[in-house]
Amino acid sequence: MIYFDAAATTLQKPMSVYPSVLKAMQTNASVARGGYLAAQSAAQTVFSCRQAAAELFDAQTEQVAFTMNATHGLNIAIGTLVNEGDLVVVSGFEHNAVMRPLYAKNAKILVAGEHLFDPENTLEAFDAALKKRPAAAICTHCSNVFGYILPIEKIAELCQSYGVPLIIDASQSAGILPLSLKNTRADFIAMPGHKSLYGPQGTGILLCANGAKPLLYGGTGSNSADALMPDFLPDRLEAGTHNVCGIAGLLAGLRYVKKRSPKAIMEHECRLRTLLAGQMEHVRIFTGNAQSGVLSFVPKDMDCESFASALAQKNIALRAGLHCAPLAHKSAGTFDTGTVRVSFSAFNTRQEVLQFAQICKKLLQKT
């Protein structure tokens, strides 16, 4: 199988991830639930992963809270900063993981920046929107549909100048783009563990600059006599038993990313994206300067979903449709058609790209 759906999940993991998960299943119990060896081993695994994430994203260890995925983290962040009916600024490329929690709060949503691969327009739109003093600004670092890299550092500067809290959705950037909690001074940065951090599904990280409101309530192994959740991080956000096995795999993934370096992984993915864009015929391709290793296209004479299904019959895995981001498609003018999305990982090869391009050419010549 040729797997080109890394923006959803990186299927191929570093070889170190698999034994790390198995070892944790065999040797690790619950964190902070006892002084015996298996509990201590679990605590060390979780703390080591917290340290690795803090180092990679320029945060303090206690600012790293584990979640089930980026959606979980975004719900915590939005629940902390946004009240019923508040005005909130978002980019024109947000995922439903951002939009649906806002709709649930009846937020007044102001969309800032709808021009694809146009950082200047994005900044101008955010500048104008932030003057309205919203309760929060929420911005994806990189579009999951088009790979558009938004100017998050400059957006963060604007938020600071207007005194507006910032939530960053790093679902498509964590592990391939520079990302610093300290430098952006964002209130929250949410990310999944199962994409470009190469951990298992069911893992995620929420970086918290300050306090946060819990989304879940329950045992933490700390302050058990208190009726309320602990008032300190990360315990305040980590009710219940940790996904220790998943976190062990995430630790291995973080170590892989650090060793290979996000810069090297990003460059590899972008080379493949550039190669593919130059090979494709009979399609409308969405590409620009500020782009990651994600490439969307629309076949000129074939429905996107049908084309993806035909590719699946050729044992090629990718995604077509709206990609849980209808706002991004409205911004790009592809809401009615959706797109076919190719998204690379560190484990894809040049040969896979060339083989894929030839298969696409043959399929499109038949239409």
mmCIF file of all heavy atoms in Angstrom, residues 205-240:
data_model
loop_
_atom_site.group_PDB
_atom_site.id
_atom_site.type_symbol
_atom_site.label_atom_id
_atom_site.label_comp_id
_atom_site.label_asym_id
_atom_site.label_seq_id
_atom_site.Cartn_x
_atom_site.Cartn_y
_atom_site.Cartn_z
ATOM 1 N N ILE A 205 -1.466 16.482 23.194
ATOM 2 C CA ILE A 205 -0.794 17.388 24.129
ATOM 3 C C ILE A 205 -1.487 18.742 24.076
ATOM 4 O O ILE A 205 -1.798 19.244 22.997
ATOM 5 C CB ILE A 205 0.699 17.542 23.780
ATOM 6 C CG1 ILE A 205 1.457 16.238 24.036
ATOM 7 C CG2 ILE A 205 1.328 18.687 24.557
ATOM 8 C CD1 ILE A 205 2.867 16.238 23.479
ATOM 9 N N LEU A 206 -1.729 19.316 25.228
ATOM 10 C CA LEU A 206 -2.182 20.695 25.327
ATOM 11 C C LEU A 206 -1.155 21.469 26.134
ATOM 12 O O LEU A 206 -0.924 21.182 27.304
ATOM 13 C CB LEU A 206 -3.554 20.779 26.006
ATOM 14 C CG LEU A 206 -4.124 22.198 26.162
ATOM 15 C CD1 LEU A 206 -4.411 22.815 24.790
ATOM 16 C CD2 LEU A 206 -5.396 22.190 27.015
ATOM 17 N N LEU A 207 -0.525 22.435 25.482
ATOM 18 C CA LEU A 207 0.416 23.324 26.166
ATOM 19 C C LEU A 207 -0.373 24.483 26.755
ATOM 20 O O LEU A 207 -1.126 25.163 26.049
ATOM 21 C CB LEU A 207 1.466 23.848 25.190
ATOM 22 C CG LEU A 207 2.275 22.794 24.420
ATOM 23 C CD1 LEU A 207 3.226 23.472 23.443
ATOM 24 C CD2 LEU A 207 3.034 21.886 25.372
ATOM 25 N N CYS A 208 -0.215 24.698 28.050
ATOM 26 C CA CYS A 208 -1.001 25.702 28.777
ATOM 27 C C CYS A 208 -0.069 26.741 29.383
ATOM 28 O O CYS A 208 0.728 26.423 30.269
ATOM 29 C CB CYS A 208 -1.801 25.039 29.893
ATOM 30 S SG CYS A 208 -2.742 23.590 29.393
ATOM 31 N N ALA A 209 -0.186 27.972 28.925
ATOM 32 C CA ALA A 209 0.685 29.013 29.450
ATOM 33 C C ALA A 209 0.310 29.385 30.875
ATOM 34 O O ALA A 209 1.178 29.698 31.697
ATOM 35 C CB ALA A 209 0.631 30.245 28.556
ATOM 36 N N ASN A 210 -0.987 29.349 31.154
ATOM 37 C CA ASN A 210 -1.464 29.751 32.478
ATOM 38 C C ASN A 210 -2.396 28.685 33.034
ATOM 39 O O ASN A 210 -2.133 27.503 32.909
ATOM 40 C CB ASN A 210 -2.153 31.114 32.375
ATOM 41 C CG ASN A 210 -1.238 32.173 31.775
ATOM 42 O OD1 ASN A 210 -0.207 32.489 32.353
ATOM 43 N ND2 ASN A 210 -1.610 32.727 30.629
ATOM 44 N N GLY A 211 -3.480 29.095 33.625
ATOM 45 C CA GLY A 211 -4.443 28.140 34.158
ATOM 46 C C GLY A 211 -5.388 27.643 33.083
ATOM 47 O O GLY A 211 -5.324 28.047 31.922
ATOM 48 N N ALA A 212 -6.278 26.739 33.473
ATOM 49 C CA ALA A 212 -7.264 26.201 32.538
ATOM 50 C C ALA A 212 -8.428 25.626 33.316
ATOM 51 O O ALA A 212 -8.276 25.198 34.464
ATOM 52 C CB ALA A 212 -6.634 25.132 31.657
ATOM 53 N N LYS A 213 -9.594 25.611 32.687
ATOM 54 C CA LYS A 213 -10.768 24.988 33.291
ATOM 55 C C LYS A 213 -10.809 23.520 32.902
ATOM 56 O O LYS A 213 -10.674 23.191 31.721
ATOM 57 C CB LYS A 213 -12.044 25.687 32.812
ATOM 58 C CG LYS A 213 -12.199 27.109 33.282
ATOM 59 C CD LYS A 213 -13.502 27.704 32.751
ATOM 60 C CE LYS A 213 -13.668 29.156 33.187
ATOM 61 N NZ LYS A 213 -14.916 29.744 32.621
ATOM 62 N N PRO A 214 -11.008 22.634 33.848
ATOM 63 C CA PRO A 214 -11.080 21.208 33.500
ATOM 64 C C PRO A 214 -12.278 20.919 32.597
ATOM 65 O O PRO A 214 -13.331 21.555 32.725
ATOM 66 C CB PRO A 214 -11.245 20.508 34.846
ATOM 67 C CG PRO A 214 -10.852 21.520 35.874
ATOM 68 C CD PRO A 214 -11.154 22.853 35.286
ATOM 69 N N LEU A 215 -12.102 19.969 31.711
ATOM 70 C CA LEU A 215 -13.210 19.466 30.917
ATOM 71 C C LEU A 215 -13.773 18.195 31.558
ATOM 72 O O LEU A 215 -14.962 17.927 31.480
ATOM 73 C CB LEU A 215 -12.736 19.163 29.487
ATOM 74 C CG LEU A 215 -13.793 18.796 28.469
ATOM 75 C CD1 LEU A 215 -14.733 19.970 28.214
ATOM 76 C CD2 LEU A 215 -13.135 18.356 27.151
ATOM 77 N N LEU A 216 -12.887 17.439 32.190
ATOM 78 C CA LEU A 216 -13.259 16.226 32.901
ATOM 79 C C LEU A 216 -12.947 16.393 34.386
ATOM 80 O O LEU A 216 -11.977 17.074 34.745
ATOM 81 C CB LEU A 216 -12.481 15.025 32.355
ATOM 82 C CG LEU A 216 -12.674 14.689 30.878
ATOM 83 C CD1 LEU A 216 -11.742 13.556 30.478
ATOM 84 C CD2 LEU A 216 -14.114 14.325 30.587
ATOM 85 N N TYR A 217 -13.744 15.742 35.224
ATOM 86 C CA TYR A 217 -13.548 15.813 36.668
ATOM 87 C C TYR A 217 -13.419 14.396 37.213
ATOM 88 O O TYR A 217 -14.141 13.498 36.796
ATOM 89 C CB TYR A 217 -14.727 16.530 37.337
ATOM 90 C CG TYR A 217 -14.853 17.979 36.939
ATOM 91 C CD1 TYR A 217 -15.433 18.328 35.722
ATOM 92 C CD2 TYR A 217 -14.380 18.993 37.761
ATOM 93 C CE1 TYR A 217 -15.537 19.656 35.340
ATOM 94 C CE2 TYR A 217 -14.484 20.323 37.396
ATOM 95 C CZ TYR A 217 -15.062 20.651 36.180
ATOM 96 O OH TYR A 217 -15.161 21.977 35.810
ATOM 97 N N GLY A 218 -12.477 14.209 38.147
ATOM 98 C CA GLY A 218 -12.296 12.883 38.724
ATOM 99 C C GLY A 218 -10.995 12.763 39.466
ATOM 100 O O GLY A 218 -10.378 13.769 39.842
ATOM 101 N N GLY A 219 -10.563 11.546 39.668
ATOM 102 C CA GLY A 219 -9.339 11.303 40.425
ATOM 103 C C GLY A 219 -8.092 11.696 39.664
ATOM 104 O O GLY A 219 -8.021 11.566 38.445
ATOM 105 N N THR A 220 -7.121 12.190 40.411
ATOM 106 C CA THR A 220 -5.832 12.570 39.819
ATOM 107 C C THR A 220 -4.655 11.942 40.555
ATOM 108 O O THR A 220 -3.514 12.059 40.105
ATOM 109 C CB THR A 220 -5.653 14.101 39.852
ATOM 110 O OG1 THR A 220 -5.714 14.547 41.217
ATOM 111 C CG2 THR A 220 -6.733 14.793 39.037
ATOM 112 N N GLY A 221 -4.924 11.333 41.705
ATOM 113 C CA GLY A 221 -3.832 10.815 42.521
ATOM 114 C C GLY A 221 -3.198 11.880 43.387
ATOM 115 O O GLY A 221 -2.272 11.600 44.137
ATOM 116 N N SER A 222 -3.690 13.126 43.285
ATOM 117 C CA SER A 222 -3.179 14.221 44.112
ATOM 118 C C SER A 222 -4.352 14.942 44.765
ATOM 119 O O SER A 222 -5.443 15.014 44.203
ATOM 120 C CB SER A 222 -2.365 15.205 43.259
ATOM 121 O OG SER A 222 -3.171 15.744 42.222
ATOM 122 N N ASN A 223 -4.124 15.465 45.961
ATOM 123 C CA ASN A 223 -5.154 16.214 46.694
ATOM 124 C C ASN A 223 -6.486 15.450 46.765
ATOM 125 O O ASN A 223 -7.558 16.020 46.557
ATOM 126 C CB ASN A 223 -5.394 17.586 46.042
ATOM 127 C CG ASN A 223 -4.219 18.515 46.210
ATOM 128 O OD1 ASN A 223 -3.116 18.089 46.578
ATOM 129 N ND2 ASN A 223 -4.425 19.792 45.936
ATOM 130 N N SER A 224 -6.401 14.167 47.053
ATOM 131 C CA SER A 224 -7.603 13.322 47.005
ATOM 132 C C SER A 224 -8.666 13.715 48.017
ATOM 133 O O SER A 224 -9.855 13.406 47.837
ATOM 134 C CB SER A 224 -7.212 11.851 47.203
ATOM 135 O OG SER A 224 -6.430 11.397 46.120
ATOM 136 N N ALA A 225 -8.304 14.395 49.091
ATOM 137 C CA ALA A 225 -9.275 14.793 50.107
ATOM 138 C C ALA A 225 -10.125 15.980 49.675
ATOM 139 O O ALA A 225 -11.189 16.231 50.254
ATOM 140 C CB ALA A 225 -8.560 15.131 51.413
ATOM 141 N N ASP A 226 -9.671 16.701 48.658
ATOM 142 C CA ASP A 226 -10.400 17.890 48.215
ATOM 143 C C ASP A 226 -11.586 17.504 47.335
ATOM 144 O O ASP A 226 -11.498 16.598 46.503
ATOM 145 C CB ASP A 226 -9.482 18.819 47.417
ATOM 146 C CG ASP A 226 -8.414 19.464 48.283
ATOM 147 O OD1 ASP A 226 -8.551 19.389 49.520
ATOM 148 O OD2 ASP A 226 -7.460 20.032 47.722
ATOM 149 N N ALA A 227 -12.675 18.235 47.477
ATOM 150 C CA ALA A 227 -13.864 17.978 46.667
ATOM 151 C C ALA A 227 -13.705 18.504 45.240
ATOM 152 O O ALA A 227 -14.370 18.030 44.324
ATOM 153 C CB ALA A 227 -15.078 18.630 47.321
ATOM 154 N N LEU A 228 -12.832 19.472 45.066
ATOM 155 C CA LEU A 228 -12.636 20.086 43.755
ATOM 156 C C LEU A 228 -11.363 19.566 43.097
ATOM 157 O O LEU A 228 -10.485 19.008 43.749
ATOM 158 C CB LEU A 228 -12.567 21.607 43.897
ATOM 159 C CG LEU A 228 -13.797 22.280 44.517
ATOM 160 C CD1 LEU A 228 -13.553 23.777 44.662
ATOM 161 C CD2 LEU A 228 -15.045 22.015 43.675
ATOM 162 N N MET A 229 -11.266 19.783 41.793
ATOM 163 C CA MET A 229 -10.051 19.406 41.068
ATOM 164 C C MET A 229 -8.871 20.233 41.569
ATOM 165 O O MET A 229 -9.052 21.380 42.012
ATOM 166 C CB MET A 229 -10.236 19.648 39.571
ATOM 167 C CG MET A 229 -11.203 18.685 38.898
ATOM 168 S SD MET A 229 -10.585 16.972 38.887
ATOM 169 C CE MET A 229 -9.239 17.096 37.711
ATOM 170 N N PRO A 230 -7.660 19.691 41.522
ATOM 171 C CA PRO A 230 -6.483 20.463 41.925
ATOM 172 C C PRO A 230 -6.407 21.784 41.159
ATOM 173 O O PRO A 230 -6.863 21.866 40.007
ATOM 174 C CB PRO A 230 -5.314 19.541 41.553
ATOM 175 C CG PRO A 230 -5.898 18.177 41.565
ATOM 176 C CD PRO A 230 -7.311 18.333 41.096
ATOM 177 N N ASP A 231 -5.841 22.802 41.790
ATOM 178 C CA ASP A 231 -5.760 24.103 41.136
ATOM 179 C C ASP A 231 -4.423 24.306 40.426
ATOM 180 O O ASP A 231 -4.093 25.420 40.036
ATOM 181 C CB ASP A 231 -6.000 25.226 42.153
ATOM 182 C CG ASP A 231 -4.974 25.212 43.286
ATOM 183 O OD1 ASP A 231 -4.082 24.332 43.292
ATOM 184 O OD2 ASP A 231 -5.082 26.079 44.171
ATOM 185 N N PHE A 232 -3.665 23.230 40.253
ATOM 186 C CA PHE A 232 -2.355 23.349 39.610
ATOM 187 C C PHE A 232 -2.278 22.413 38.408
ATOM 188 O O PHE A 232 -2.952 21.376 38.337
ATOM 189 C CB PHE A 232 -1.226 23.035 40.602
ATOM 190 C CG PHE A 232 -1.381 21.707 41.310
ATOM 191 C CD1 PHE A 232 -0.864 20.533 40.764
ATOM 192 C CD2 PHE A 232 -2.039 21.632 42.540
ATOM 193 C CE1 PHE A 232 -1.009 19.319 41.420
ATOM 194 C CE2 PHE A 232 -2.187 20.416 43.195
ATOM 195 C CZ PHE A 232 -1.668 19.258 42.640
ATOM 196 N N LEU A 233 -1.442 22.829 37.444
ATOM 197 C CA LEU A 233 -1.199 22.024 36.248
ATOM 198 C C LEU A 233 -0.044 21.055 36.485
ATOM 199 O O LEU A 233 0.846 21.344 37.270
ATOM 200 C CB LEU A 233 -0.860 22.939 35.066
ATOM 201 C CG LEU A 233 -1.976 23.873 34.591
ATOM 202 C CD1 LEU A 233 -1.429 24.867 33.570
ATOM 203 C CD2 LEU A 233 -3.121 23.075 33.980
ATOM 204 N N PRO A 234 -0.060 19.904 35.785
ATOM 205 C CA PRO A 234 -1.064 19.451 34.820
ATOM 206 C C PRO A 234 -2.220 18.672 35.438
ATOM 207 O O PRO A 234 -3.163 18.329 34.741
ATOM 208 C CB PRO A 234 -0.252 18.544 33.895
ATOM 209 C CG PRO A 234 0.760 17.926 34.823
ATOM 210 C CD PRO A 234 1.129 19.004 35.797
ATOM 211 N N ASP A 235 -2.149 18.412 36.754
ATOM 212 C CA ASP A 235 -3.160 17.571 37.403
ATOM 213 C C ASP A 235 -4.577 18.074 37.165
ATOM 214 O O ASP A 235 -5.518 17.287 37.047
ATOM 215 C CB ASP A 235 -2.893 17.494 38.913
ATOM 216 C CG ASP A 235 -1.572 16.829 39.248
ATOM 217 O OD1 ASP A 235 -0.574 17.106 38.539
ATOM 218 O OD2 ASP A 235 -1.524 16.045 40.201
ATOM 219 N N ARG A 236 -4.732 19.387 37.089
ATOM 220 C CA ARG A 236 -6.065 19.984 36.938
ATOM 221 C C ARG A 236 -6.778 19.488 35.678
ATOM 222 O O ARG A 236 -8.018 19.439 35.623
ATOM 223 C CB ARG A 236 -5.932 21.505 36.915
ATOM 224 C CG ARG A 236 -7.251 22.255 36.861
ATOM 225 C CD ARG A 236 -7.049 23.720 37.201
ATOM 226 N NE ARG A 236 -8.289 24.480 37.097
ATOM 227 C CZ ARG A 236 -9.272 24.456 37.998
ATOM 228 N NH1 ARG A 236 -9.165 23.689 39.066
ATOM 229 N NH2 ARG A 236 -10.362 25.180 37.827
ATOM 230 N N LEU A 237 -6.009 19.101 34.664
ATOM 231 C CA LEU A 237 -6.587 18.722 33.374
ATOM 232 C C LEU A 237 -6.499 17.224 33.098
ATOM 233 O O LEU A 237 -6.933 16.775 32.035
ATOM 234 C CB LEU A 237 -5.882 19.479 32.237
ATOM 235 C CG LEU A 237 -5.935 20.999 32.317
ATOM 236 C CD1 LEU A 237 -5.222 21.614 31.128
ATOM 237 C CD2 LEU A 237 -7.382 21.500 32.388
ATOM 238 N N GLU A 238 -5.956 16.457 34.029
ATOM 239 C CA GLU A 238 -5.704 15.049 33.749
ATOM 240 C C GLU A 238 -6.455 14.133 34.719
ATOM 241 O O GLU A 238 -5.865 13.347 35.454
ATOM 242 C CB GLU A 238 -4.200 14.767 33.784
ATOM 243 C CG GLU A 238 -3.452 15.484 32.676
ATOM 244 C CD GLU A 238 -1.964 15.196 32.649
ATOM 245 O OE1 GLU A 238 -1.452 14.508 33.574
ATOM 246 O OE2 GLU A 238 -1.282 15.659 31.718
ATOM 247 N N ALA A 239 -7.787 14.220 34.695
ATOM 248 C CA ALA A 239 -8.613 13.369 35.553
ATOM 249 C C ALA A 239 -8.642 11.949 34.999
ATOM 250 O O ALA A 239 -8.672 11.735 33.791
ATOM 251 C CB ALA A 239 -10.033 13.919 35.620
ATOM 252 N N GLY A 240 -8.615 10.989 35.902
ATOM 253 C CA GLY A 240 -8.706 9.590 35.490
ATOM 254 C C GLY A 240 -7.349 8.995 35.165
ATOM 255 O O GLY A 240 -6.309 9.632 35.293
#
